[in-house]
């Protein structure tokens, strides 16, 4: 099973809302990632978790709050977002962190902030 | 600094034609890894191949083949006898040893295969 699942597929939220994105993998991977992808651009790394601990935060605004409750789950909590945060949010996992390991991506959550 | 250049923004081919997607990279590291990912309209990036800097063997997998040339810092991807299902955005990516888990993606090449 090489599947990463993400819910919801689509999300529309207002600037005052609080919502969460969920990501799950059952491949036994110990590294999980959040990416943001704008239209016609490559994915941009937001966060990296290694063994459920945050190891990289790419200077992401605090209105994005990641959480890794266990080795299979990764959440992204959203609060007071701006319209420019509208994008495709991709979750990925890899066996371990490190340059060698390929990442497996979920289908993404398409977020619209109104 | 690491950099990946995919000069072809969009390519259109007629079904059954062969097509090559170019990827040129820059890195000062001697140990690095190159990847190709496919992103169909559904959004999910699909891992296609990894190549490490010490392995310059070309690889063929079905209709897909990859040509890695360190001398020109290129890692090109060829699809033989293209099919409509190959329509997607293809990203070339680079990662490097040194403890930092970041992957540098190219800007992507959108391939449209016309029936």
């Amino acid at each position: 099973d090489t599947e990463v699942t993400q819910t919801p597929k689509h999300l529309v939220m207002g600037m005052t809302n609080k919502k969460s994105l969920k990501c799950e993998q059952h491949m036994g991977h110990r590294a999980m990632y959040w990416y943001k992808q704008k239209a016609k651009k490559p994915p941009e790394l937001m966060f990296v978790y290694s063994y459920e601990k945050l190891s990289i935060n790419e200077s992401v605004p605090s209105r994005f709050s990641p959480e890794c409750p266990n080795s299979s789950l990764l959440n992204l909590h959203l609060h007071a977002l701006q319209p420019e945060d509208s994008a495709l949010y991709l979750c990925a996992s890899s066996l371990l962190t490190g340059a060698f390991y390929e990442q497996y991506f979920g289908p993404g959550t398409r977020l619209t902030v109104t | 600094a690491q950099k990946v250049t995919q000069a072809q923004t969009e390519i259109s081919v007629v079904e059954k034609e062969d097509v090559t997607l170019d990827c040129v990279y820059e890195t000062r590291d001697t140990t690095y890894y190159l990847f190709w990912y496919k992103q169909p309209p559904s959004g999910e990036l699909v891992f296609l191949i990894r190549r490490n800097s010490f392995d310059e063997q070309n690889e063929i997998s079905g209709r897909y083949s990859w040509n890695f040339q360190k001398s020109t810092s290129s890692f090109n991807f060829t699809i033989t006898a293209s099919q409509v299902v190959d329509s997607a955005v293809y990203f070339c990516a680079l990662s490097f040893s040194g403890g930092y888990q970041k992957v540098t993606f190219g800007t992507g090449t959108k391939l449209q295969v016309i029936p």
Side-chain angles (χ1 to χ4, degrees):
Chain A
D1 182 10
T2 56
E3 190 178 54
V4 176
T5 59
Q6 288 187 245
T7 53
K9 281 193 187 335
H10 300 274
L11 179 61
V12 179
M13 60 186 289
M15 290 190 283
T16 57
N17 291 159
K18 283 185 182 181
K19 296 285 185 185
S20 296
L21 310 185
K22 181 179 170 182
C23 172
E24 197 163 2
Q25 57 88 13
H26 295 288
M27 295 179 277
H29 289 177
R30 303 315 298 266
M32 296 186 79
Y33 309 78
W34 279 115
Y35 287 86
K36 173 182 177 180
Q37 187 179 24
K38 300 285 266 185
K40 301 191 177 184
K41 298 286 187 185
E44 296 173 30
L45 183 66
M46 300 174 72
F47 304 103
V48 180
Y49 273 83
S50 177
Y51 287 90
E52 295 111 73
K53 287 189 167 39
L54 183 65
S55 64
I56 293 180
N57 175 341
E58 287 283 289
S59 303
V60 178
S62 59
R63 57 186 184 268
F64 295 91
S65 174
E67 179 197 20
C68 191
N70 60 55
S71 60
S72 300
L73 274 176
L74 186 66
N75 298 320
L76 186 63
H77 303 298
L78 314 172
H79 173 54
L81 294 192
Q82 304 296 309
E84 60 264 28
D85 297 322
S86 298
L88 180 67
Y89 287 84
L90 292 161
C91 173
S93 71
S94 60
L95 185 60
L96 298 169
T97 56
F100 173 80
Y101 298 100
E102 70 272 16
Q103 296 179 24
Y104 292 88
F105 286 80
T109 294
R110 203 163 292 277
L111 174 67
T112 303
V113 182
T114 60
Chain B
Q2 326 297 319
K3 187 178 178 184
V4 177
T5 301
Q6 295 180 255
Q8 304 150 308
T9 308
E10 291 193 35
I11 302 176
S12 288
V13 298
V14 176
E15 201 171 19
K16 298 185 183 172
E17 285 184 350
D18 299 347
V19 58
T20 295
L21 310 183
D22 298 332
C23 173
V24 174
Y25 63 92
E26 294 175 33
T27 179
R28 292 182 193 167
D29 290 76
T30 55
T31 301
Y32 53 89
Y33 302 89
L34 295 161
F35 303 83
W36 276 96
Y37 287 88
K38 172 184 179 180
Q39 188 174 35
S42 58
E44 176 179 353
L45 273 86
V46 178
F47 165 71
L48 296 177
I49 191 171
R50 174 188 56 235
R51 176 62 74 228
N52 75 52
S53 53
F54 298 107
D55 181 4
E56 287 195 72
Q57 277 192 328
N58 292 331
E59 174 125 357
I60 298 175
S61 176
R63 297 184 297 108
Y64 295 172
S65 62
W66 290 269
N67 179 250
F68 175 34
Q69 292 196 330
K70 279 179 84 168
S71 60
T72 55
S73 297
S74 64
F75 185 42
N76 296 337
F77 173 29
T78 297
I79 302 174
T80 303
S82 59
Q83 299 176 2
V84 172
V85 292
D86 296 326
S87 297
V89 179
Y90 291 85
F91 290 99
C92 181
L94 167 71
S95 65
F96 51 97
S97 295
Y100 193 57
Q101 304 110 33
K102 188 170 178 179
V103 174
T104 299
F105 284 91
T107 49
T109 296
K110 183 176 181 180
L111 173 66
Q112 184 177 14
V113 181
I114 303 164

